[in-house]
Amino acid sequence: MQNVCKRSNSAIFSSDGGSTMILEVPLQQNFTETLPTEMSVRIFSELDVRSLCRASLTCKHWNDIIEGSDQLWRSHCLTVLAICRREVDGDRLDGCSWKVTLVRNYRKGCVKRRWLKGRYSNIRSADDIPPNSMCPLDVETWGEILEAELDR
C-alpha cells in the first residue's frame, strides 16, 4: 500500500489505499510577521555575524528587517572597533552605515586579532603563511603586530 500525503494551508490529507484521514493543522507563520519589528530585531541580535548574514538571505521580510536595522550591525561593529579603531572611526566619520563599516573591517579585525594573539609567530617564510591570514593593513597596525612579536 502506498501512503500519499498532501498538504494544504490548513489540513493534511493522508490516504493509504482505501481510507482517507483529514487532520487540521494550524498554519505556520513567520515569527517576524506576527511579532513587532522591535522584537524581531531583538531575536536577530542574538545571532553572530555569519548567522545574521545567512538569516538575511532567508526571505525578503527577514532581509528587510536585518538590512534596515543599524542596531544589529552596530553591536557587531563595536566588537571589531576594539581591534580596528582607526578604520572604524574613519568609516563612521565618512558617513558609512554600521553594516558597511562592519563589512569593510570585519576581515581586517579577524586577521589582526590572530596576528596579535601570536597565531603566526612561528612562520619562517611567505610559503608558510596560511590562506586567509593576510589582508591590507595600515602601517600602525603592522607596528602593533611587530611590537607584539618582539615582546614574545
Side-chain angles (χ1 to χ4, degrees):
M1 289 188 187
Q2 188 178 19
N3 191 6
V4 178
C5 219
K6 295 179 183 176
R7 175 169 259 181
S8 75
N9 286 342
S10 63
I12 294 178
F13 303 97
S14 181
S15 162
D16 61 357
S19 64
T20 300
M21 186 173 20
I22 299 174
L23 304 170
E24 287 296 321
V25 176
L27 186 62
Q28 293 181 355
Q29 292 185 334
N30 182 340
F31 74 90
T32 61
E33 294 171 357
T34 57
L35 292 175
T37 302
E38 297 80 24
M39 290 299 296
S40 298
V41 168
R42 175 70 180 100
I43 291 168
F44 288 133
S45 72
E46 297 296 320
L47 299 176
D48 61 31
V49 174
R50 179 172 281 145
S51 300
L52 190 60
C53 291
R54 287 181 181 156
S56 72
L57 299 174
T58 301
C59 69
K60 184 172 179 3
H61 195 249
W62 285 26
N63 182 277
D64 291 345
I65 292 171
I66 292 169
E67 294 293 321
S69 175
D70 243 14
Q71 175 187 344
L72 289 172
W73 301 104
R74 182 180 183 273
S75 62
H76 292 295
C77 198
L78 292 177
T79 304
V80 173
L81 177 67
I83 303 294
C84 296
R85 177 169 289 284
R86 285 180 302 280
E87 293 90 342
V88 171
D89 289 346
D91 286 348
R92 293 298 295 157
L93 285 173
D94 290 343
C96 295
S97 70
W98 284 107
K99 181 185 179 193
V100 169
T101 301
L102 178 66
V103 168
R104 290 177 66 169
N105 295 292
Y106 182 75
R107 184 155 182 264
K108 285 181 190 177
C110 292
V111 168
K112 182 177 177 181
R113 189 178 307 112
R114 284 187 225 121
W115 277 94
L116 288 174
K117 286 183 175 181
R119 181 168 289 174
Y120 309 119
S121 292
N122 297 323
I123 293 187
R124 304 275 183 239
S125 72
D127 296 333
D128 295 340
I129 298 174
N132 298 326
S133 63
M134 296 295 292
C135 69
L137 298 171
D138 60 23
V139 167
E140 290 86 10
T141 300
W142 282 114
E144 288 176 53
I145 292 169
L146 181 58
E147 284 179 25
E149 287 297 317
L150 292 173
D151 290 342
R152 283 192 242 295

